[in-house]
């Protein structure tokens, strides 16, 4: 039996799949060059980064281990609440290791700042960040991203692992949703 729920509008394409994949390859080359001869701990920030993370680590030709850190700051809203909640912590210690944090999007900058400070406290040998997307106009604090895929405007983006209330993660591109509400 069918329900009378309205169909979800398909997001408009902001960054097509081909452009995404080309930039991810370039980022992987930059990271591999910078870390040649060293092992890294690649930290995936869940949930939004998992597709970006899996694609980029398959292109990295350097020794690595993978860790996962779950955080939440959106709570099914289109704007970050600014409060970061750790939902899953790392399994292995970072002390003395070279760490790269992989994030899907830097919006306000508050979440990445929180994560970087949290992980610095675990005394890694080095720590850098890699984000697929960044919204410079939306930043609430100044934050540096060491490896950046794309700078975008204030669009609310979905796809390629990024969701809105659990939807649109599986899109092979970065799309945007009109913010009507």
């Amino acid at each position: 039996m069918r329900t009378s729920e309205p169909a979800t509008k398909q997001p408009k394409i902001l960054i097509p799949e081909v452009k995404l994949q080309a930039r991810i390859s370039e980022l992987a080359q930059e990271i591999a060059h910078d870390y040649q001869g060293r092992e890294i701990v690649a930290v995936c920030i869940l949930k939004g980064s998992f597709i970006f993370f899996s694609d980029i680590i398959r292109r990295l030709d350097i020794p690595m281990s993978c860790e996962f850190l779950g955080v939440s700051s959106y709570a099914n809203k289109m704007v970050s609440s600014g409060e970061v909640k750790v939902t899953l912590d790392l399994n292995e210690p970072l002390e003395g290791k070279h760490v790269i944090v992989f994030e899907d999007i830097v919006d306000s900058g508050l979440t990445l700042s929180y994560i970087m400070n949290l992980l610095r406290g675990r005394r890694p040998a080095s720590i850098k960040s890699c984000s697929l997307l960044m919204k410079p106009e939306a930043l609430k604090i100044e934050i540096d991203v060491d490896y950046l895929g794309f700078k975008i405007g204030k669009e609310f983006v979905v796809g390629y692992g990024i969701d809105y209330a659990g939807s649109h993660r599986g899109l092979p591109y970065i799309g945007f949703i009109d913010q009507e509400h």
Side-chain angles (χ1 to χ4, degrees):
M1 182 184 240
R2 290 192 156 170
T3 61
S4 58
E5 291 181 36
T8 306
K9 263 176 51 174
Q10 197 68 357
K12 297 172 186 156
I13 295 174
L14 182 65
I15 304 171
E17 183 178 8
V18 171
K19 192 172 179 182
L20 267 178
Q21 296 305 321
R23 183 64 185 129
I24 290 166
S25 292
E26 292 169 0
L27 287 171
Q29 288 172 358
E30 289 175 40
I31 293 168
H33 176 267
D34 291 352
Y35 285 88
Q36 192 172 17
R38 293 184 281 173
E39 182 173 342
I40 66 165
V41 177
V43 177
C44 176
I45 305 304
L46 296 174
K47 296 180 185 173
S49 301
F50 76 100
I51 293 176
F52 169 51
F53 183 75
S54 66
D55 280 354
I56 198 164
I57 67 166
R58 285 181 288 173
R59 292 176 170 101
L60 285 173
D61 190 20
I62 54 175
M64 81 179 84
S65 62
C66 297
E67 285 291 324
F68 299 87
L69 182 66
V71 296
S72 176
S73 66
Y74 280 81
N76 292 338
K77 295 187 170 78
M78 288 186 152
V79 178
S80 174
S81 67
E83 291 182 34
V84 181
K85 178 180 164 187
V86 174
T87 59
L88 175 71
D89 206 346
L90 307 178
N91 286 323
E92 297 297 322
L94 299 179
E95 187 170 352
K97 298 178 180 176
H98 299 287
V99 175
I100 302 177
V101 174
F102 291 88
E103 180 66 294
D104 55 351
I105 185 167
V106 176
D107 195 329
S108 67
L110 297 171
T111 302
L112 184 59
S113 177
Y114 176 88
I115 291 166
M116 297 300 278
N117 288 329
L118 174 73
L119 298 183
R120 274 188 200 102
R122 298 178 185 190
R123 301 192 312 265
S126 68
I127 185 166
K128 290 193 175 184
S129 59
C130 177
S131 182
L132 180 62
L133 305 171
M134 182 180 210
K135 294 181 176 182
E137 295 173 35
L139 289 175
K140 292 184 179 173
I141 60 170
E142 193 171 313
I143 187 154
D144 291 322
V145 175
D146 300 289
Y147 304 99
L148 179 60
F150 301 93
K151 289 181 181 178
I152 62 172
K154 291 186 178 183
E155 301 91 353
F156 185 81
V157 293
V158 294
Y160 201 67
I162 303 168
D163 76 312
Y164 171 55
S167 296
H168 306 298
R169 280 194 202 279
L171 297 174
Y173 58 86
I174 297 293
F176 67 96
I177 297 174
D178 291 322
Q179 295 183 19
E180 298 167 358
H181 23 287

